[in-house]
Amino acid sequence: MNSSNLLSIVTFTYALAAFLYIVSWVFKKQLPGRIATWIAIIAVIGNTGGIALRWIESYRLGIGHAPLSNMYESLVFFAWTIGVIYLVIERTYQNRIIGVLATPLAFMAIAYASLSPNISDRIQPLIPALKSNWLIAHVVTCFIGYAAFAIAFGISLIYLLKRKKTGDKDGFFNHLPDFSTLDELTHQMVTLGFLFLTIGIITGAVWANSAWGSYWSWDPKETWSLITWFVYATLLHARMMRGWEGKKLAYLSIIGFMAVMFTYFGVNFLPGLHSYGQG
Amino acid sequence: MNKETGSAGFPGRLWKLFASVRLTVIVLLSLAVTSIVGTIIPQNQRPEAYLNEYGEFFYRILSAFDIFDMYHSWWFQFLLLILSVNVIVCSIKRFSALWKIVFVKNPFFDISKFRDFSDKEEFVDTRSPEDLKRIYVPIVSRSFGYRRIEETDNGFCVFAEKGRWTGIGVYIVHLSVILLLIGGLIGSVFGFKGFVNIPEGKTINSIRLSNTGKAQDLNFDIRCDDFSIKFYDSGAPSEYRSTLTILEQGKSVLTRDIIVNDPLRYKGINIFQSNYGELPPKDITLNFKNRITGMSNKQKVSLGQQINLSEDMGQFVVKGYRNSYDFGGHNLGKTFMGILTPDNGSPVHVIMPVRFPVFDRMRKGKLAISVEDYDRRYYTGLQVTRDPGVLVVYSGFVIMIIGCFITFFMSHQRLCVEISKSGKNSRIMVAGTANKNKLGMQSRIKKIAKNLSK
Ligand code: HEM
């Protein structure tokens, strides 16, 4: 089996896990949830295997490099980080509700990688500009940050839904974690994401400085990552202002994740992009 | 300074404004929103490009606001300035208070507060308080830096805490923001960024600046000894390599290869591989084919050298070379141009694309001339920069990461273990707080209680 096949199977495994999390939530049943956890664990293991296999394959092709060099590989890694962070949260808080949003996100990331006609899953040799250890540090840290923001986004959505639906007695939202727990969780994910986004931007800057001699040149991708950083810095400070409670912060977290998505995908539609942004 | 007077007077109000997190939020959001503009409108193009795109009217409006170089515009820099003043004022205002809290000798513990916690743990132990004290104190000390034992009415109490100093984490982050801005400023005032193309074998001592196009002298010479490209089997480039020699007063001091991602640094100046190109070749081997006799004749010439052809065919000179040549809408690629002057006739132009050796047959002359071979000569394109601010920026980077880590993942944790006599047994209460990650602290308290009750 090659890595592409394995990762296709992983895609469906994530889909199955997502389905079971949703079933468990909608029908308030424990069993599907417990199975979902196991399926999610299998998906993450398969995802890990797929990444490792792809790495080995690149060496067999004689162009060995860490599988983090293009859109396909970064999306696969993105799914992996979402999966891992989610499972840690599930274990820590003994609550499966976030899986209802986290596993579909992981599924969408990896499904988009496999199915989009614009994204090639071929293993390509590295162009000279990408031959840098800073690149690996850059991609890894950015995507850990993105994954944490993705989960914060999911929790914020749950938060807003719950806010809307409180009062309606047997809605799906009554056995969700309480507001303060959701708030705290969002904050933890945002701080985790902010730390890694910061490191990601910094390693990117160091890489740019070692390849082109300037650590910052305001190209659209760089600028959008900074915009994202500003939004989350705003969120961190807004939390300390009186009058800014959960709901507004949840909106900011959603806007922040939009900025993440735009940094990642949308920038490709802007004029004047660096070559390394393209899959 | 006027800070004690609070809201009295204009300076006081201004101080308060700059010390507010509200201003931070406004400025950060403004930076986020305005930054979008520069990603939608391409920056630093030539004026004609903008005139084409937006027309005269909008061009004037947009350029009045420096939109075409917005990240260096006065108003963007102004936002950054407000941000820095905000950070500095805010830090000054809070730091003295923070200092007193952080570096207190005998921290104050209020036992009744701990007793009020809803998530405290309580249990009963058959051993006496004195026995328990001997067991508990080492356990608590193991994970808390500071501890103190106080007698209570019917037992005693162990207070412990750690991470009091983590409160300064935020200020470390804020300091790093200032360092980044200062570093950037130093770079833009004292640094430069330029480029230079050096043909193989040639030496230069000045470069061209990217922003102004002016020449910038270096205090040394750079010679390009060699340039080479390697390719993968697929044809994609795998490596660009230049061998450079640095010369001081004509003497070579240092020779090194540079590749992309591995620049040469010399006397504060950084030299990066960024580009390359092909130069007009010097030596060309031409093939003259007599279309009547079918005989071929190879001859080596250099660019611009006039030669006499055998069989009284006249004279030939290679006049020029182009990397691409447009012929009726087709790009012929690398192409040589020459002039053939027959002994008794007028000169004719000859086009010799390297990729299409039979091209000149179309001319239907007596001779068909093609390029057999030529020496490939490259020039290397170097980016040359000087940025004395990089060190400041990089220390800002390091400090920012450390500061964020402290701020987000280390907390000030306080613990209280109360042991009181209750008949023959001891009643134990374990309670604690943390200023961050309260959920984590809850499970920590549970764990400590479990440890103690063993
Ligand atoms: C881009 C610039 C800035 C960054 C990256 C930044 C970053 C941070 C971070 C990460 C925190 C910790 C938040 C938390 O505990 O969750 C923080 C807290 C804080 N920031 Fe900033 N900040 C910036 C600018 C400012 C400015 C301009 C001010 C001036 C008012 C400011 C005032 C504060 C205050 C008062 C706190 C809370 C400190 C405390 O907990 O006592 N920040 N900042």
Side-chain angles (χ1 to χ4, degrees), chain B residues 27-40:
Chain B
V27 175
L28 285 173
L29 272 184
S30 312
L31 283 168
V33 172
T34 54
S35 293
I36 297 174
V37 176
T39 67
I40 295 169

Side-chain angles (χ1 to χ4, degrees), chain B residues 347-399:
Chain B
V348 274
H349 285 274
V350 179
I351 299 163
M352 297 163 288
V354 175
R355 264 193 294 155
F356 306 105
V358 296
F359 188 85
D360 192 41
R361 286 199 206 159
M362 292 199 305
R363 190 168 48 85
K364 301 219 186 315
K366 271 190 210 152
L367 275 179
I369 310 171
S370 60
V371 175
E372 187 79 15
D373 195 15
Y374 66 97
D375 63 327
R376 263 148 250 261
R377 293 197 311 146
Y378 293 104
Y379 67 85
T380 182
L382 304 178
Q383 172 120 289
V384 181
T385 66
R386 194 177 108 88
D387 189 347
V390 162
L391 213 63
V392 180
V393 170
Y394 276 24
S395 43
F397 284 168
V398 174
I399 291 179

Side-chain angles (χ1 to χ4, degrees), chain A residues 62-63 93 122 125-132 134 180-181 184-185 187-188 190-196 198-199 201-203 205-221 223-224 226-231 233-234 236-242 244 252 262 270-272, chain B residues 21-26 28-29 31-33 35-36 38-43 71-72 76 80 83 173-174 177 180 183-185 187 193 232 234 236-240 259-263 265 270 272-274 383 385 387 389-390 393-394 396-398 400-401 404-405 408-409 436-440:
Chain A
I63 48 174
Y93 296 99
R122 282 240 326 269
L126 286 183
I127 59 167
L130 299 186
K131 287 183 180 173
S132 166
W134 288 109
S180 65
T181 309
E184 175 88 17
L185 254 175
H187 185 65
Q188 272 183 11
V190 168
T191 53
L192 182 70
F194 191 78
L195 175 68
F196 277 93
T198 304
I199 303 177
I201 294 176
I202 287 174
T203 47
V206 173
W207 170 39
N209 194 32
S210 75
W212 295 286
S214 57
Y215 53 82
W216 196 261
S217 42
W218 294 106
D219 85 64
K221 198 139 189 144
T223 308
W224 269 98
L226 188 67
I227 291 169
T228 308
W229 191 78
F230 283 144
V231 172
T234 308
L236 290 175
H237 287 87
R239 208 166 181 261
M240 297 175 286
M241 286 194 338
R242 260 169 301 156
W244 281 71
L252 265 181
F262 198 82
L270 292 174
Chain B
V21 183
R22 168 156 311 202
L23 181 68
T24 317
V25 167
I26 293 169
L28 285 173
L29 272 184
L31 283 168
V33 172
S35 293
I36 297 174
T39 67
I40 295 169
I41 298 176
Q43 300 286 295
Y71 302 109
H72 304 102
F76 197 77
L80 292 177
L83 187 73
V173 178
H174 291 164
V177 172
L180 294 185
L185 191 66
K193 181 171 153 190
Y232 293 111
S234 65
S238 83
E239 185 186 88
Y240 307 115
I259 57 177
V260 182
N261 274 309
D262 186 16
R265 302 181 197 277
N270 309 304
F272 298 85
Q273 181 68 55
S274 81
Q383 172 120 289
T385 66
D387 189 347
V390 162
V393 170
Y394 276 24
F397 284 168
V398 174
M400 179 173 280
I401 294 172
C404 277
F405 184 82
F408 297 147
F409 299 107
K436 272 167 269 174
N437 190 7
K438 301 205 161 61
L439 297 171

Side-chain angles (χ1 to χ4, degrees), chain A:
Chain A
M1 184 179 336
N2 69 22
S3 62
S4 297
N5 297 345
L6 178 54
L7 288 168
S8 305
I9 297 172
V10 168
T11 310
F12 289 105
T13 317
Y14 275 122
L16 182 61
F19 175 72
L20 288 171
Y21 275 114
I22 293 169
V23 166
S24 153
W25 172 59
V26 170
F27 297 104
K28 299 181 198 157
K29 290 275 186 299
Q30 280 296 309
L31 186 66
R34 239 175 272 145
I35 300 173
T37 303
W38 282 106
I39 304 273
I41 291 171
I42 292 170
V44 169
I45 292 172
N47 202 342
T48 316
I51 293 171
L53 195 56
R54 198 175 163 88
W55 202 333
I56 295 168
E57 283 165 6
S58 77
Y59 273 92
R60 287 218 192 102
L61 289 173
I63 48 174
H65 58 82
L68 298 165
S69 69
N70 59 23
M71 193 64 146
Y72 176 85
E73 293 173 347
S74 62
L75 280 167
V76 168
F77 183 71
F78 188 31
W80 183 83
T81 26
I82 293 177
V84 170
I85 295 179
Y86 167 67
L87 286 175
V88 171
I89 295 181
E90 184 186 311
R91 224 192 119 74
T92 315
Y93 296 99
Q94 297 296 327
N95 195 316
R96 295 202 171 84
I97 181 65
I98 292 151
V100 173
L101 278 153
T103 43
L105 280 171
F107 163 71
M108 283 191 282
I110 198 165
Y112 183 64
S114 310
L115 302 177
S116 165
N118 304 326
I119 296 175
S120 157
D121 66 353
R122 282 240 326 269
I123 299 180
Q124 280 140 341
L126 286 183
I127 59 167
L130 299 186
K131 287 183 180 173
S132 166
N133 288 332
W134 288 109
L135 172 72
I136 297 174
H138 174 61
V139 176
V140 168
T141 48
C142 277
F143 279 95
I144 294 174
Y146 291 172
F149 288 142
I151 291 173
F153 161 78
I155 303 169
S156 302
L157 278 186
I158 294 173
Y159 186 100
L160 290 178
L161 286 176
K162 186 175 156 104
R163 261 279 132 95
K164 268 224 172 100
K165 294 285 159 93
T166 38
D168 117 25
K169 275 270 162 5
D170 38 46
F172 302 132
F173 300 94
N174 287 338
H175 54 281
L176 295 182
D178 56 39
F179 286 124
S180 65
T181 309
L182 288 177
D183 208 32
E184 175 88 17
L185 254 175
T186 310
H187 185 65
Q188 272 183 11
M189 285 300 114
V190 168
T191 53
L192 182 70
F194 191 78
L195 175 68
F196 277 93
L197 178 66
T198 304
I199 303 177
I201 294 176
I202 287 174
T203 47
V206 173
W207 170 39
N209 194 32
S210 75
W212 295 286
S214 57
Y215 53 82
W216 196 261
S217 42
W218 294 106
D219 85 64
K221 198 139 189 144
E222 277 174 0
T223 308
W224 269 98
S225 67
L226 188 67
I227 291 169
T228 308
W229 191 78
F230 283 144
V231 172
Y232 284 106
T234 308
L235 191 159
L236 290 175
H237 287 87
R239 208 166 181 261
M240 297 175 286
M241 286 194 338
R242 260 169 301 156
W244 281 71
E245 38 75 66
K247 216 159 122 190
K248 278 188 186 163
L249 295 183
Y251 282 125
L252 265 181
S253 147
I254 289 168
I255 293 173
F257 190 62
M258 305 275 178
V260 168
M261 288 290 99
F262 198 82
T263 309
Y264 194 14
F265 300 108
V267 167
N268 293 333
F269 303 111
L270 292 174
L273 175 72
H274 271 351
S275 56
Y276 60 78
Q278 268 138 16

Side-chain angles (χ1 to χ4, degrees), chain B residues 257-309:
Chain B
D257 286 7
I258 64 168
I259 57 177
V260 182
N261 274 309
D262 186 16
L264 169 62
R265 302 181 197 277
Y266 183 73
K267 284 200 171 161
I269 296 204
N270 309 304
I271 302 161
F272 298 85
Q273 181 68 55
S274 81
N275 206 339
Y276 78 99
E278 220 167 300
L279 289 168
K282 249 205 210 123
D283 298 320
I284 309 131
T285 309
L286 295 173
N287 188 2
F288 299 91
K289 185 174 167 116
N290 189 321
R291 296 187 52 226
I292 297 161
T293 61
M295 294 249 288
S296 278
N297 177 16
K298 289 193 180 103
Q299 198 161 348
K300 199 166 174 177
V301 301
S302 28
L303 204 70
Q305 174 199 6
Q306 178 120 350
I307 54 165
N308 290 315
L309 300 174

Side-chain angles (χ1 to χ4, degrees), chain B residues 399-452:
Chain B
I399 291 179
M400 179 173 280
I401 294 172
I402 295 173
C404 277
F405 184 82
I406 295 171
T407 310
F408 297 147
F409 299 107
M410 298 176 82
S411 57
H412 179 197
Q413 304 177 357
R414 289 149 69 84
L415 174 80
C416 169
V417 182
E418 186 185 14
I419 298 146
S420 40
K421 228 178 159 69
S422 145
K424 274 166 85 186
N425 299 336
S426 307
R427 283 180 48 81
I428 296 120
M429 177 201 78
V430 184
T433 60
N435 61 343
K436 272 167 269 174
N437 190 7
K438 301 205 161 61
L439 297 171
M441 190 63 188
Q442 269 173 31
S443 58
R444 188 122 202 253
I445 294 297
K446 278 210 184 82
K447 221 182 251 164
I448 293 171
K450 212 167 160 192
N451 251 339
L452 297 180

